């Protein structure tokens, strides 16, 4: 595992997902802060698990990274059966 379980419990899984997604996108904390209209310090605090912003922060962050808010908040991706109209399943 990339992180020890105690560490995950201490700072929270969500903060690690935000950091990982930001790094995968090739963004700095400053880049993400500009996209979210907040400060680099706020991004740093979220990634360190010292700040737990409102849900709107996660919705906007998920949109930037093309993931769901569920993914950022829970670390899971749920796939659902979707039937499109006019198709046979």
């Amino acid at each position: 595992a990339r992180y020890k379980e105690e560490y995950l419990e201490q700072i929270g899984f969500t903060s690690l997902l935000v950091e990982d997604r930001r790094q995968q996108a090739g963004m700095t904390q400053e880049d993400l802060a500009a996209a979210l209209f907040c400060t680099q310090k706020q991004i740093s605090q979220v990634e360190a698990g010292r700040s737990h912003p409102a849900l709107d922060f996660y919705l906007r962050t998920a949109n930037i990274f093309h993931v769901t808010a569920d993914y950022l908040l829970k670390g899971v991706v749920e796939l659902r059966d979707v039937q499109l109209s006019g198709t046979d399943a």
Side-chain angles (χ1 to χ4, degrees):
R2 184 168 169 202
Y3 300 102
K4 291 187 177 186
E5 190 171 350
E6 309 87 51
Y7 184 69
L8 289 176
E9 290 174 9
Q10 180 182 1
I11 71 163
F13 193 70
T14 298
S15 59
L16 296 176
L17 288 174
V18 171
E19 180 181 17
D20 283 346
R21 281 292 168 165
R22 177 184 58 77
Q23 291 174 346
Q24 286 176 16
M27 297 176 83
T28 64
Q29 288 182 342
E30 291 85 0
D31 295 334
L32 183 56
L36 293 171
F37 303 102
C38 66
T39 66
Q40 178 274 329
K41 183 177 180 177
Q42 289 171 305
I43 300 300
S44 176
Q45 289 176 339
V46 168
E47 290 183 358
R50 291 189 303 265
S51 174
H52 304 287
L55 183 58
D56 182 59
F57 171 89
Y58 295 106
L59 294 173
R60 290 182 290 132
T61 302
N63 188 46
I64 290 169
F65 296 141
H66 305 288
V67 297
T68 65
D70 276 353
Y71 173 78
L72 287 179
L73 294 170
K74 299 189 295 187
V76 297
V77 177
E78 293 181 18
L79 300 177
R80 297 181 182 194
D81 292 331
V82 177
Q83 183 174 349
L84 302 174
S85 61
T87 63
D88 294 335

